[in-house]
Amino acid sequence: MRVLGIDPGLTRCGVGVVEGTAGRPLTMLGVGVVRTPSDAETGERLVAIEQGIESWLDEHRPELVAVERVFAQHNVRTVMGTAQASAIAMLCASRRGLPVALHTPSEVKAAVTGSGRADKAQVGAMVTRLLRLDAPPKPADAADALALAICHIWRAPAMNRLQQAQTAQQAQTAARASRVPTTASVRKVTR
């Protein structure tokens, strides 16, 4: 599985591509940051992010895009910029028919380090170790993007099994419902 991880942000949008399967060594295929000038208009910045992500999609051809789920912070301005960049990432992937997975920061930290409260340095150190890199990717947004891709590769098999179980349960419930006579049909038969 080849996953493009995206750590959304208006100024620095981390991107990283990881290939592999759960339980096997993973390979980093690319890592970087799409940058926009903080003094540019928001619309221009979003266009630049879109162009950057499209370039990564063209170059690396991922099977799936994993995006950090936006969470509430005290700084509304930061949350808005992050949400806008996140929407651009989801739009770019969806336009190409690529599935999009959202993971919270604590899910990513827990998957990569074993603790949902790990700091940026711990995430960077584990990404370096897991991908057998010489040094942690810089800036931290780039390491976070790789961590998102790793998280999804490792969590995907369990998420797929859960989705299949839910689908099977829904099918069973629907089948039972179609076999159970309704009150109106029972009255008709007994008259």
Side-chain angles (χ1 to χ4, degrees), residues 99-111:
V100 176
L102 300 174
H103 298 285
T104 66
S106 59
E107 287 172 344
V108 174
K109 291 174 186 178

Side-chain angles (χ1 to χ4, degrees), residues 50-134:
E50 177 194 24
Q51 291 169 344
I53 292 172
E54 288 289 349
S55 175
W56 277 82
L57 290 168
D58 287 341
E59 182 178 345
H60 294 284
R61 305 268 182 224
E63 299 165 55
L64 184 134
V65 176
V67 181
E68 184 174 274
R69 182 182 301 272
V70 178
F71 61 98
Q73 294 177 343
H74 299 294
N75 186 340
V76 175
R77 186 177 172 156
T78 301
V79 170
M80 289 300 295
T82 302
Q84 291 165 335
S86 178
I88 294 296
M90 291 187 281
L91 172 71
C92 290
S94 296
R95 185 184 293 142
R96 293 170 181 245
L98 296 173
V100 176
L102 300 174
H103 298 285
T104 66
S106 59
E107 287 172 344
V108 174
K109 291 174 186 178
V112 174
T113 71
S115 170
R117 295 182 177 205
D119 62 23
K120 295 258 187 206
Q122 290 170 308
V123 171
M126 284 306 296
V127 164
T128 302
R129 183 175 177 197
L130 293 168
L131 296 175
R132 300 169 312 282
L133 305 175
D134 294 332

Side-chain angles (χ1 to χ4, degrees), residues 14-26:
V15 287
V17 182
V18 177
E19 189 169 63
T21 58
R24 303 240 182 216
L26 303 172

Side-chain angles (χ1 to χ4, degrees), residues 162-187:
L162 180 60
Q163 180 62 43
Q164 289 170 351
Q166 288 172 337
T167 301
Q169 180 64 39
Q170 290 168 348
Q172 287 177 349
T173 302
R176 278 191 224 119
S178 68
R179 288 191 301 247
V180 175
T182 63
T183 308
S185 64
V186 171
R187 284 187 196 140

